[in-house]
């Protein structure tokens, strides 16, 4: 399917080649101009979610493509020898092996996405870092100089989340035997 392949390649290369912050600005400022007249403009959170989904889907598509290309040709030939249809070959033989081999890359992408959520602050949305700044700018805290402690706490929250995802990935890899034959 050359048309589908070309469309997917253009989509992936565009979103992987664009910085996430630029895409968030596009979603914030330019997206409403492309909507039909009378179509309700989505709120900023919805626009940010759309951009995050499109951006991440391009990276995940490349990760899975790499996993599919890593599967030896003999696996498909073995599935054909068993008499499986092309759909069953992919679903029962090829895809499980490919997804198993790309677990580390998928978790790395998830951790990166988790840390990139701070970028929504730029388009005026509240997220963890913005909450920390809002807390330290209240009258009760403004003269006490707690900004350093607040930012250390926020960084600890991000570190704990990233560390937890990394450890769960390692546990899943060990359970599935990723890296062992």
């Amino acid at each position: 399917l050359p048309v589908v392949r070309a469309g997917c390649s253009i989509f992936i290369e565009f979103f992987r080649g664009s910085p996430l912050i630029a895409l968030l600005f596009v979603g914030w400022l330019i997206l409403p101009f492309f909507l039909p007249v009378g179509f309700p403009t989505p709120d900023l959170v919805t626009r940010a979610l759309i951009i995050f989904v499109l951006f991440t889907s391009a990276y995940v598509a490349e990760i899975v493509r790499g996993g599919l290309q890593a599967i030896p040709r003999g696996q498909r030939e073995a599935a054909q020898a068993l008499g499986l249809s092309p759909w069953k070959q992919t679903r029962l033989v090829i895809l499980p092996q490919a997804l198993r081999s790309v677990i580390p890359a998928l978790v790395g992408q998830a951790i990166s996405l988790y840390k990139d959520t701070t970028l929504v602050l730029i388009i005026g949305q509240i997220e963890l870092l913005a909450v920390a700044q809002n807390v330290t700018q209240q009258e009760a805290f403004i003269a006490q100089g707690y900004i350093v402690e607040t930012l250390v706490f926020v960084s600890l929250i991000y570190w704990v989340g990233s560390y937890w995802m990394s450890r769960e990935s390692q546990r899943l890899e060990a359970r599935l035997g990723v890296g062992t034959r």
Side-chain angles (χ1 to χ4, degrees), residues 48-70:
L49 283 174
I50 290 168
I51 296 299
F52 271 107
V53 167
L54 294 173
F55 184 79
T56 304
S57 65
Y59 276 91
V60 170
E62 278 297 295
I63 290 169
V64 172
R65 183 193 57 79
L68 289 170
Q69 287 182 337

Side-chain angles (χ1 to χ4, degrees), residues 8 40-41 47 53 57 65 67 72 85 88 100-101 119 122 125-126 133 138 142 145 154 163-164 170 176-177:
C8 290
T41 303
R47 287 187 254 172
V53 167
S57 65
R65 183 193 57 79
S85 68
K88 284 188 176 180
R100 180 177 168 257
S101 68
L119 292 176
I122 292 169
Q125 291 302 300
I126 299 295
Q133 289 175 346
Q138 292 179 12
I142 202 155
V154 168
Y163 184 76
W164 175 78
Q170 290 173 350
L176 294 176

Side-chain angles (χ1 to χ4, degrees), residues 68-162:
L68 289 170
Q69 287 182 337
I71 302 300
R73 183 186 239 20
Q75 294 295 316
R76 185 168 298 275
E77 293 170 357
Q80 288 172 345
L82 290 173
L84 297 176
S85 68
W87 171 249
K88 284 188 176 180
Q89 290 173 24
T90 302
R91 188 171 53 94
L92 299 174
V93 178
I94 305 299
L95 202 54
Q97 293 179 56
L99 293 178
R100 180 177 168 257
S101 68
V102 298
I103 288 172
L106 287 174
V107 172
Q109 178 61 29
I111 291 171
S112 176
L113 180 66
Y114 173 66
K115 293 186 289 186
D116 284 344
T117 57
T118 59
L119 292 176
V120 298
L121 175 66
I122 292 169
I123 63 170
Q125 291 302 300
I126 299 295
E127 47 75 52
L128 187 59
L129 195 57
V131 169
Q133 289 175 346
N134 289 344
V135 166
T136 57
Q137 291 175 355
Q138 292 179 12
E139 287 184 27
F141 295 101
I142 202 155
Q144 296 180 7
Y146 287 136
I147 188 70
V148 173
E149 290 85 355
T150 306
L151 292 177
V152 167
F153 179 71
V154 168
S155 63
L156 182 66
I157 290 173
Y158 278 112
W159 181 82
V160 166
S162 299

